[in-house]
Amino acid sequence: MVTLGVMNMHTPLAEKAIPFAIPENNWDASEASNMSESELLLYRSNLLGADLTVTNFGGGNTSAKVMERDPLTGEEVEVLWVKGSGGDIGSMGLDGFSTLYQEKLLALESHYSGDEDDDKMVGFLPHCTFNLNGRAASIDTPLHSLLPSKHIDHVHPDAIIALAASSGGEAATRELWGEEIGWLPWKRPGFTLGVQIRDFAKANPNAKGAMLAGHGIICWADTAKDCYDQTVRLIAEAAEYLNGKLESAPAFGGAVTGAREDRAEIAAGLMPRLRGLMIGDRRKVGHFSDDAATMEFVGSKDFHRLAELGTSCPDHFLRTKIAPLTLDADRLEDDAYLAQSISDYRAMYGAYYDRCKRDNSPAVRDANPVVVLVPGVGRMTFAKDKATARIAGEFYLNAINVMRGAEAVGDYIALDEQEAFDIEYWLLEEAKLQRMPAPKEMVGKVALVTGGAGGIGAAVARRMLQDGACVMLADRDEGSVETVHGDLAKAFGADVVRSVKCDVTDEAQVAAAVAECAREFGGIDVLVANAGIASSAPISETTTELWDKNFDVLSKGYFLTAKHAWPLMEGMADMGGTSIVFIGSKNAVAAAKNASAYASAKAAANHLARCLALEGADSGIRVNVVNPDAVIRGSRIWDGDWRQERAGAHGIDSGDELEEHYRQRSMLKRSVLPDDIAEATYWFASEASAKSTGNMINVDAGNAQAFTR
Ligand SMILES: [Zn+2]
């Protein structure tokens, strides 16, 4: 209910700006005491990268010039160790560094005659490789090779970029550091920037570093420790300076909209609708955040003016696109408004491409917004996978911090549009994109799996994750689902798995689980209704209670999950549709002796699947059923009573004999395992079965009674 009680549902407006965090100096002399020069470089890099107030994810690079023995000539040569292409200085190991002959790097300048040679110079870098190191040198290498200093750090801390992207930044730099730190105008990374920094250092022998306008800072020292100390100190001084300015006035011109108390619900309702409108080659995964800095920004007086300007640091805008899409919180229920907003954004992006493209520019890329901002609600990001969406959001948070600081000392200056375009559509960047392997089948898709803590549920989740899906595990057993969640997160990464407590017989819990999936990932592409129970009793002993319990879980539970996931799945019709898979049972088609309640409830669910297949076809929702039989291993329904009861019904022991009994009973004489059910479920979930709906597959090692007809 977006439009109701807007005023009194907001939290009070904050009066003080959020301050910049001050980085700490974490150098441990005893830890560093026995390290080699390259190990010290790694130690310093990891310390810097681990602190998000020092540099953003994947940003920044560090170097040291080290004497090494040449493996070919045996002579001592100077080698530049510099963070290579890709990776992150916070988590990298020694193999993340490129190693290059410093002498050869310096000789490259004979091939350079000016700005227009920047791209050409990149091609020479591999010729300077020392010791056959396979780590590609990054485009920032000349920033490190041309400067004579032994140790160099180049980082992008929010507090530094805030100064670098402000009209008052140059004066503030002089006020703060005098001759110690210089100021160089914006220049995109490359050989020319390296030459400019080198020439600046030569002309200013007292300087220890330089601010790079719109970008970050580079600073140098004689030892690894001095370099680290200096980098941390400069960032701390910039942050303290900005905090002093922020104390006197509220951020972004003051607050006008407080954070809505129902913002999480609004995001859950909004994200699947936006995602369905973002037509493109592949579907996207969403990420929602309502952190304090975002809420301060989107609720501020200057929000629209600043958001429109876009981001500054190239690291930021490469992840976030030139500008975010901003939405009016009072019109979120209006479908036509949302559709028009996305379409306008795509047109704006197309116009930017047309204005800035050059003769040899790569073709226009996906025009959908990455960052969506709503006052009072927060920030949503959409990208090809969950990690990319989350990281894009974090980069926008960096951009917000930059704008807050920049506006406190002057006017925020965004990156020039043509400069932004030239980086975004840089031919070398395009070559990197073209080399990327095709994404796996399920990348961009979100699966909700009920009964996710059980043997079949966990196997289904694992199978989806293997091919790149995001998975929300829902289960009424909170402890077990958390354990499975932990195991899967360890195997596939924390970004792609979530879990929620959900009893499928409780409509409110089902609705909440669906909303959680929408908020965590942006929607649902695959629903696997799997939560089940089993019971065994002759008709005379089947109580009404037992009958109802079976129908509650197996029939009503399937109905409720499908009903609540339905609106989200319908919305993906234009993106190739969605898939519902019911985990049925052999007993849904074959009569079972002494299990009438269970078998009848399963039969009801299977017929529900056929009805939904008919109803969903127009919206691209496919509905199919996998019928397992006797999947004993890892199953929770086979624990306890049901196991005893079925063993009793067959007159055998309930231990290993039971599994053997079912194996022998099957036509193929094979045991049916959770992974077998997962494989069939995966097939129905994937595009491989795109032409199939209203069907069922038996996975029972052969059972003539269950043959469909
Ligand atoms: Zn940089």
Side-chain angles (χ1 to χ4, degrees), residues 56 59-61 140 143 154-156 189 193 212 215-217 313-315:
N56 44 25
N61 34 65
D140 280 346
L143 277 60
H154 165 53
V155 286
H156 314 129
L193 180 60
L212 307 176
H215 179 175
I217 193 168
C313 183
D315 259 16

Side-chain angles (χ1 to χ4, degrees), residues 83-327:
K83 189 218 153 204
S85 191
D88 178 58
I89 60 171
S91 53
M92 72 189 288
L94 277 175
D95 63 353
F97 291 101
S98 306
T99 49
L100 306 114
Y101 289 96
Q102 177 63 14
E103 195 186 345
K104 291 189 184 183
L105 286 168
L106 290 175
L108 289 184
E109 206 167 346
S110 63
H111 292 281
Y112 173 79
S113 50
D115 219 356
E116 65 284 357
D117 286 338
D118 265 7
D119 280 11
K120 183 183 85 178
M121 298 309 288
V122 179
F124 287 119
L125 293 175
H127 293 282
C128 306
T129 304
F130 171 79
N131 203 16
L132 307 178
N133 183 349
R135 174 66 60 178
S138 91
I139 54 153
D140 280 346
T141 302
L143 277 60
H144 297 264
S145 60
L146 292 167
L147 275 168
S149 297
K150 293 281 178 214
H151 298 270
I152 299 166
D153 288 339
H154 165 53
V155 286
H156 314 129
D158 293 347
I160 292 286
I161 311 174
L163 294 176
S166 174
S167 63
E170 190 170 358
T173 299
R174 215 175 308 121
E175 185 187 333
L176 261 167
W177 297 304
E179 281 197 347
E180 189 186 7
I181 301 296
W183 177 274
L184 295 178
W186 160 260
K187 178 76 204 161
R188 82 173 152 115
F191 204 87
T192 303
L193 180 60
V195 169
Q196 288 174 353
I197 297 170
R198 189 266 320 272
D199 291 348
F200 163 80
K202 212 186 237 177
N204 299 273
N206 294 329
K208 292 174 179 161
M211 293 284 287
L212 307 176
H215 179 175
I217 193 168
I218 186 162
C219 48
W220 47 85
D222 295 333
T223 69
K225 178 169 190 307
D226 285 353
C227 199
Y228 173 81
D229 288 348
Q230 178 171 274
T231 298
V232 172
R233 173 178 60 83
L234 292 169
I235 299 165
E237 287 170 359
E240 278 158 5
Y241 178 86
L242 290 167
N243 288 346
K245 301 280 177 196
L246 286 166
E247 245 169 37
S248 53
F252 306 122
V256 292
T257 316
R260 293 182 60 108
E261 274 161 27
D262 56 351
R263 57 192 180 276
E265 287 100 298
I266 295 175
L270 181 60
M271 289 171 74
R273 293 161 65 216
L274 289 174
R275 182 172 179 255
L277 291 166
M278 292 187 186
I279 314 287
D281 291 346
R282 296 192 71 92
R283 52 193 88 193
K284 298 176 190 304
V285 179
H287 182 79
F288 169 66
S289 181
D290 58 354
D291 58 86
T294 296
M295 299 318 293
E296 178 188 68
F297 179 61
V298 299
S300 73
K301 177 171 158 283
D302 294 340
F303 165 55
H304 286 284
R305 173 178 68 82
L306 290 170
E308 223 170 83
L309 291 177
T311 56
S312 54
C313 183
D315 259 16
H316 296 173
F317 95 87
L318 273 176
R319 304 274 190 164
T320 62
K321 278 219 174 95
I322 43 170
L325 167 65
T326 60
L327 293 175

Side-chain angles (χ1 to χ4, degrees), residues 607-636:
H607 199 61
L608 172 64
R610 284 187 287 258
C611 296
L612 294 181
L614 189 60
E615 204 169 320
D618 286 343
S619 314
I621 304 177
R622 299 187 292 113
V623 188
N624 294 286
V625 180
V626 174
N627 289 326
D629 185 36
V631 181
I632 297 168
R633 228 174 283 175
S635 166
R636 287 176 307 167

